[in-house]
Amino acid sequence: MRIRLHGNEDQCRRTAKRMAQVLDVLDTSHAYPDRPPSRLVRIYLTANPPAPTAKGETA
């Protein structure tokens, strides 16, 4: 799945890091700046849901 994070760069980086603890993150893009005068950025994650455990549950 492709996930877009939108906010200031620090928020997006911290959130991407936290999401990598829960999802199988395959790729993280660089920060794409919004058009001026916005100071926000977009970061895209490519991720898969966590793999099922031996009991068939997600981790």
Side-chain angles (χ1 to χ4, degrees):
M1 69 182 106
R2 187 95 159 141
I3 302 167
R4 180 176 73 178
L5 304 176
H6 186 249
N8 70 44
E9 190 165 355
D10 182 56
Q11 289 172 327
C12 291
R13 296 249 177 247
R14 284 187 290 127
T15 302
K17 199 173 196 178
R18 291 290 301 267
M19 291 182 83
Q21 295 173 355
V22 191
L23 300 172
D24 180 18
V25 176
L26 306 171
D27 184 51
T28 303
S29 74
H30 66 276
Y32 293 94
D34 281 354
R35 292 185 184 117
S38 176
R39 294 181 181 178
L40 302 178
V41 300
R42 298 174 316 279
I43 293 179
Y44 296 89
L45 303 177
T46 304
N48 289 324
T53 62
K55 295 180 182 179
E57 303 167 350
T58 55

